[in-house]
Amino acid sequence: MSDATLHATEQNPDDFAVQIADQIESFLVAVTEVAKGDEPDSAVPFLLLEVSQLLLAGGRLGAHEDILPDERYEPDPGFEPDVDELREHLARLLDPVDIYSEVFDPYEPRKAPVPARISDDLADVIADLRHGMVHYRAGRTTEALWWWQFSYFSNWGSTASATLRALHSLLAHVRLNQPLEELDGLDTDQGMGDDTLEFEAGKVMEVEIADQLGMRSAQ
C-alpha cells in the first residue's frame, strides 16, 4: 500500500484503511449494544454474525503485506476506556453458556483443551481494536493499521476465531437438537491437567438452551 493511500486526507470509501476501520468500528458499536442486554433472545446469533464479519477484516489484514509504522516507538494513544464493565455485562447476558473449551494452538501436539469464556474473549478483542481505533481517529492511520495487523496475528485473531467456533457450536447444538454438557463447577482460573478436559454436572437439555436463546429447536 502506498503512503498516499495510508495518509489520504479525504476518506475514500474504497481505500483499504477506511474499509478496515469501518468494519472494526461496526464491530465495536454492535458488541457494545449487545452487551446492554436489551435483546437477550438474539444476543448469540447476533454475536456470531458480528464476529464472522470482524474476522473478514482480520483476514484482509493477515493477507496484506506487512504494514510498518511511521515511528520506531508507538505514540502515546492517551486515554482508553476500560473494558471490565462490558466484560461483566456480557458474562451476565451469556450465563450459563459463557464457558467453553479451547485448544490454543492446533499445531502444538498433545495440548489439552482449556476453559475459556466468550465474555472474556470479546472484551479482550475489543480492547485490542479500541487501541488501534484511538490512533486512527487521531489521524495516525499507518499506526492504526500496523497495530490492528500485529495484534491480529498476536492476539485478537486467534481469540476471535475461538469465540466464533464457540458461538457456532452453541447454535449448532440448538438447531440440531443435540444436548450440551454442563460446565457447572468449572472455573477459567483452574489449572487443567494433560488429560481431556472434564466437564462437571449433568446434561443441559437442548430445549433449555433454546429457551435461553429465544430460539426454536429443530424438529
Side-chain angles (χ1 to χ4, degrees):
M1 180 183 300
S2 69
D3 288 343
T5 300
L6 289 175
H7 299 287
T9 56
E10 295 182 3
Q11 289 197 332
N12 183 335
D14 293 329
D15 284 349
F16 178 80
V18 174
Q19 291 174 356
I20 295 297
D22 284 349
Q23 287 181 282
I24 289 175
E25 176 69 15
S26 175
F27 177 82
L28 294 174
V29 171
V31 176
T32 301
E33 287 299 312
V34 170
K36 293 178 180 178
D38 295 336
E39 298 182 18
D41 290 349
S42 59
V44 170
F46 197 67
L47 288 173
L48 177 70
L49 175 62
E50 291 301 323
V51 175
S52 298
Q53 292 177 335
L54 174 67
L55 284 170
L56 173 59
R60 295 182 67 192
L61 286 165
H64 198 280
E65 63 186 12
D66 287 349
I67 299 168
L68 301 178
D70 294 327
E71 303 177 26
R72 181 176 180 182
Y73 299 103
E74 180 184 10
D76 182 4
F79 173 76
E80 296 182 55
D82 189 84
V83 296
D84 285 344
E85 183 177 0
L86 182 140
R87 187 193 313 269
E88 292 168 3
H89 288 172
L90 287 170
R92 286 195 295 269
L93 181 65
L94 294 170
D95 184 63
V97 295
D98 194 20
I99 297 179
Y100 69 98
S101 61
E102 169 64 2
V103 176
F104 286 118
D105 191 338
Y107 283 96
E108 290 189 28
R110 296 181 297 279
K111 286 292 184 180
V114 296
R117 290 182 182 271
I118 296 174
S119 57
D120 287 345
D121 289 351
L122 289 174
D124 290 347
V125 169
I126 283 179
D128 274 346
L129 299 179
R130 281 180 176 175
H131 184 83
M133 188 59 70
V134 171
H135 288 305
Y136 184 79
R137 289 172 177 163
R140 297 186 291 270
T141 305
T142 312
E143 189 72 34
L145 288 173
W146 171 81
W147 171 257
W148 285 328
Q149 186 185 61
F150 167 77
S151 57
Y152 169 75
F153 284 122
S154 63
N155 185 48
W156 73 261
S158 58
T159 302
S161 297
T163 307
L164 181 66
R165 288 195 298 274
L167 293 167
H168 172 271
S169 177
L170 178 59
L171 292 180
H173 277 287
V174 172
R175 296 290 177 87
L176 300 177
N177 195 23
Q178 297 172 342
L180 286 168
E181 291 185 277
E182 191 170 13
L183 299 177
D184 248 1
L186 186 66
D187 192 282
T188 54
D189 292 329
Q190 284 181 228
M192 306 305 295
D194 292 332
D195 297 332
T196 302
L197 184 66
E198 294 183 359
F199 294 155
E200 299 294 333
K203 297 283 187 178
V204 175
M205 297 308 294
E206 172 272 335
V207 67
E208 295 176 358
I209 298 297
D211 288 345
Q212 174 76 13
L213 301 181
M215 299 171 60
R216 177 176 296 180
S217 61
Q219 299 297 323

